[in-house]
Amino acid sequence: MKKQEINEILTSLTIAYVEDEKNIRENMSKTLNLLCKNCIEFQSAEELLDYFHKNSVHIIITDINLPNMNGIELIKKIREKDEKIPIILLTAYIETQYLFDAIKYKVVEYLPKPIDYETLIQALLKATKDFVNNGSYIIKINEKLFFNVLNKELLTIDKEKIPLTPKELKLLTLFIKNKNKIVTHEEIKNQIWENSYEVTESAFKNLINKLRNKISKDSIVNISKIGYRLNIND
């Protein structure tokens, strides 16, 4: 893939960035927003982790020295949920143990602070290339259907767009984020509806069935009394 294509994809990505020092965070966020579609900034690892579990993020940038939960602990929790998302680690110190941890948790880049503009761009381009190469850009649902993560489009093999309602799109995105893993009834209700307590069983099953009819019944497996799983062969 050409550098220009990688650049274009980067401008379509959402980056989650965590830094507890306000001035550094604000300045870095301004720079990142010039390079990507959206930079969402957080002042703690807990805030980023909570957002990550509920929303789509394409690249994560984290400082190591964070209060309560440091950057390495954050990465460990992210890797429990997603083994492939590109992560860039920032630090004011070069420490051997952190370098070993960065390798262990498959960090794209380990950058010493302060970070110059060119170094940041190169790290982001590398992370974007990883995002594309690990299959997170276009997800193959089955032999006939694909999902474009960036454009949030369900496409046939002939690139024909299959329309999805907002709730169907949210549900499919949730399944893809947890592909080949069980998503419980409670998780689905909490993610799709504003007030999960008001969701009727009829509305819940109707949404599942509508999405099943669009992507094939075999792709969404019912795990009795627990939840559902989207089966995808990577």
Side-chain angles (χ1 to χ4, degrees):
M1 184 170 284
K2 296 179 180 179
K3 186 176 180 180
Q4 183 178 349
E5 293 175 304
I6 296 293
N7 269 307
E8 289 175 358
I9 292 172
L10 173 60
T11 62
S12 302
L13 300 184
T14 294
I15 296 175
Y17 165 56
V18 57
E19 164 65 63
D20 62 319
E21 293 188 35
K22 184 179 179 181
N23 290 338
I24 295 176
R25 184 175 68 251
E26 290 180 349
N27 289 333
M28 180 75 152
S29 295
K30 288 178 182 177
T31 300
L32 290 171
N33 273 313
L34 295 174
L35 300 170
C36 67
K37 180 180 180 181
N38 190 21
C39 171
I40 305 166
E41 59 179 84
F42 305 90
Q43 61 181 356
S44 72
E46 293 86 350
E47 288 180 0
L48 186 150
L49 197 60
D50 181 63
Y51 185 89
F52 173 74
H53 285 312
K54 299 175 182 177
N55 301 275
S56 294
V57 172
H58 307 124
I59 295 174
I60 291 174
I61 301 177
T62 177
D63 188 30
I64 284 182
N65 298 305
L66 299 169
N68 302 320
M69 183 193 303
N70 67 36
I72 295 297
E73 293 170 326
L74 170 62
I75 292 170
K76 182 179 179 180
K77 289 185 178 296
I78 288 170
R79 284 291 177 244
E80 290 172 358
K81 188 79 172 179
D82 190 324
E83 296 179 355
K84 295 183 178 180
I85 184 168
I87 300 173
I88 297 172
L89 190 59
L90 312 179
T91 179
Y93 309 98
I94 298 296
E95 296 187 22
T96 303
Q97 184 56 50
Y98 287 152
L99 284 170
F100 286 141
D101 287 332
I103 295 170
K104 177 181 177 181
Y105 294 118
K106 302 175 185 176
V107 171
V108 172
E109 285 287 4
Y110 181 92
L111 303 180
K113 297 161 67 177
I115 301 163
D116 65 82
Y117 184 74
E118 187 58 34
T119 300
L120 176 62
I121 289 178
Q122 292 306 314
L124 287 172
L125 291 176
K126 185 176 179 181
T128 303
K129 191 173 182 178
D130 277 10
F131 172 76
V132 174
N133 290 341
N134 68 27
S136 299
Y137 180 35
I138 299 293
I139 303 292
K140 182 181 179 181
I141 303 295
N142 52 47
E143 294 302 320
K144 298 180 179 180
L145 295 174
F146 299 83
F147 185 72
N148 185 311
V149 174
L150 300 184
N151 297 333
K152 297 187 182 302
E153 293 178 340
L154 181 62
L155 305 167
T156 68
I157 196 168
D158 297 319
K159 297 184 179 180
E160 178 183 348
K161 183 177 177 180
I162 297 176
L164 296 170
T165 67
K167 281 189 173 62
E168 289 169 357
L169 177 58
K170 280 187 178 181
L171 180 58
L172 179 56
T173 302
L174 178 64
F175 279 141
I176 287 174
K177 191 177 179 66
N178 297 277
K179 58 183 179 178
N180 300 319
K181 298 178 182 177
I182 299 173
V183 183
T184 66
H185 296 144
E186 291 72 23
E187 286 178 296
I188 293 172
K189 291 176 182 178
N190 289 333
Q191 293 295 317
I192 308 304
W193 284 272
E194 291 185 8
N195 190 339
S196 61
Y197 296 104
E198 295 181 359
V199 183
T200 65
E201 192 64 21
S202 175
F204 180 83
K205 289 185 175 180
N206 183 51
L207 178 61
I208 297 290
N209 289 331
K210 284 170 65 179
L211 183 59
R212 269 179 159 173
N213 289 334
K214 291 184 177 181
I215 70 171
S216 89
K217 295 180 180 180
D218 294 337
S219 294
I220 300 177
V221 180
N222 179 21
I223 310 301
S224 182
K225 299 181 181 179
I226 301 176
Y228 295 86
R229 181 180 65 237
L230 177 65
N231 284 345
I232 294 179
N233 296 318
D234 292 326

